[in-house]
Amino acid sequence: MFYSLFLISLLTNIGYTENNQCSFLNSKLNKYGIHIKIHDKDFIGLKLCQNLINNYCCPQIYEDKIQNATIIELYQLSEFYSINLYESLRRITVQLNETIRKLIESSRNETHSILQYNYNKIYNFYRSSINLFFNKLLMISYKNYQYDIKNTIEELFRNILRITVILNNNNTNKPILPSYLLCLWRNHPFGNRQYVIINQLEINLGKLFHLNELFKLSNELIQIISMDVTTDNHCIDSYMQLSYCNLCSGGKELPCLSNCINVIESCLINVSLINDVWINFIDSIENNAYFNGIEKTLSSIGISISNALLTLFNSDGIQNKDIIDQCGYIH
């Protein structure tokens, strides 16, 4: 009884295998409206697969149809993955820019709080200059960011110096000469405070600008890949070998890795072009230092400005003997 059941089971499996030996191929081709019917087992198989496998599922007469299916599949896959990748990158780019904006706004609020707490009586005089500084910081982009950061910081501290001098001049209506303010500035009334902020922002904000540029470059390369798929005869033949030769032998679609790499390097050159940029991009977004550095730098701006004012006041400000010797009095 056992042997009878075993024989029936074996015959059933053999019959199932024979009827379904081309099922993987047919399943794939059916998506493109192609149906292969094999009437004769002695047909000539696809020439492209003859030296690779015994392609008993692919008569040569269907080569044109399989070639068309290959071209359609190539374009569809390229378009599908390019769109998905592009949308993901676009979304992450938006999130990155929004994160930078939120960090800057948080720094603005923290700076106002620190200055209001430490310099309550004169804080309101500096308020508009602080807001102007952060508004300009929000507008800085990758292009010329080092120059823009330096100018924005210097403008802030020049405004703070000018306001401080005006506050010290409240007992007279005499105008303050620009040459006097310039002389004060050249004497570094805030020590090196503004240069520390400039240096830290250039390094850490620059990293995020660089990361943003990698996003843009990756997006551009993805668009190039999606629009410039190589479809010459040699490459289509190579795609067919990768996609169909194993299927033609009744197996699954498992192309040889080395062959796959060769095809990518020769026919999908645009895909290989993105490799270095992509590796750089992935390494960058996985580096927490990109974000930790800028968060620490932005959160310290308020303290740095407060300390800069303290440096100015502790050195007797415009009443400092060295400043008087070089710049004279306010008038």
Side-chain angles (χ1 to χ4, degrees), residues 48-293:
L48 289 172
C49 300
Q50 284 178 358
N51 296 325
L52 301 175
I53 47 88
N54 178 16
N55 57 126
Y56 49 75
C57 290
C58 294
Q60 178 64 30
I61 58 174
Y62 287 101
E63 181 174 1
D64 289 344
K65 290 186 176 182
I66 294 177
Q67 187 179 60
N68 290 337
T70 302
I71 295 173
I72 294 171
E73 180 182 25
L74 178 63
Y75 275 109
Q76 286 183 347
L77 287 176
S78 176
E79 183 178 17
F80 174 76
Y81 287 111
S82 295
I83 290 174
N84 281 350
L85 192 55
Y86 177 83
E87 287 300 320
S88 297
L89 284 174
R90 187 192 62 80
R91 184 177 64 254
I92 296 173
T93 302
V94 171
Q95 291 173 348
L96 174 63
N97 290 330
E98 181 63 15
T99 299
I100 296 174
R101 188 192 66 79
K102 287 182 178 179
L103 287 173
I104 292 176
E105 289 296 348
S106 176
S107 178
R108 182 204 299 264
N109 295 334
E110 188 174 359
T111 298
H112 281 304
S113 297
I114 291 172
L115 293 181
Q116 187 174 22
Y117 179 81
N118 291 336
Y119 302 98
N120 184 43
K121 293 182 179 180
I122 59 175
Y123 156 71
N124 284 327
F125 294 100
Y126 299 118
R127 184 182 181 87
S128 61
S129 294
I130 298 297
N131 280 328
L132 178 63
F133 161 70
F134 280 104
N135 289 341
K136 289 191 173 183
L137 198 60
L138 285 168
M139 297 173 63
I140 294 176
S141 61
Y142 181 74
K143 185 179 181 180
N144 299 324
Y145 74 88
Q146 292 173 310
Y147 173 83
D148 291 337
I149 287 174
K150 180 176 181 295
N151 279 358
T152 302
I153 296 292
E154 287 191 354
E155 181 185 25
L156 169 65
F157 278 88
R158 284 177 183 271
N159 284 337
I160 290 175
L161 179 61
R162 177 180 55 80
I163 292 168
T164 305
V165 171
I166 291 173
L167 291 175
N168 277 271
N169 191 40
N170 59 2
N171 293 325
T172 176
N173 293 323
K174 292 182 179 180
I176 300 171
L177 297 175
S179 58
Y180 176 76
L181 290 174
L182 180 60
C183 183
L184 287 181
W185 179 256
R186 288 174 175 172
N187 277 272
H188 307 290
F190 302 106
N192 68 339
R193 299 294 180 180
Q194 72 266 32
Y195 304 113
V196 172
I197 299 176
I198 290 171
N199 183 57
Q200 290 300 313
L201 280 178
E202 284 182 355
I203 293 173
N204 294 291
L205 198 55
K207 288 180 180 179
L208 292 186
F209 285 144
H210 174 67
L211 182 58
N212 212 352
E213 286 302 299
L214 285 175
F215 275 112
K216 293 179 182 178
L217 181 57
S218 298
N219 275 326
E220 291 171 2
L221 288 174
I222 289 169
Q223 292 180 67
I224 291 173
I225 292 170
S226 64
M227 295 184 295
D228 194 21
V229 177
T230 307
T231 55
D232 58 72
N233 292 334
H234 163 70
C235 287
I236 291 299
D237 288 348
S238 298
Y239 298 145
M240 285 177 62
Q241 286 180 335
L242 285 178
S243 298
Y244 287 96
C245 284
N246 281 335
L247 291 173
C248 288
S249 68
K252 294 183 179 180
E253 189 176 359
L254 295 172
C256 171
L257 178 60
S258 60
N259 190 20
C260 184
I261 292 175
N262 289 336
V263 171
I264 289 176
E265 290 180 347
S266 61
C267 295
L268 294 175
I269 185 66
N270 287 325
V271 175
S272 61
L273 284 175
I274 199 176
N275 191 55
D276 291 341
V277 175
W278 191 254
I279 291 175
N280 193 5
F281 166 70
I282 294 299
D283 289 343
S284 298
I285 62 176
E286 290 180 347
N287 187 354
N288 290 331
Y290 271 74
F291 301 95
N292 293 340

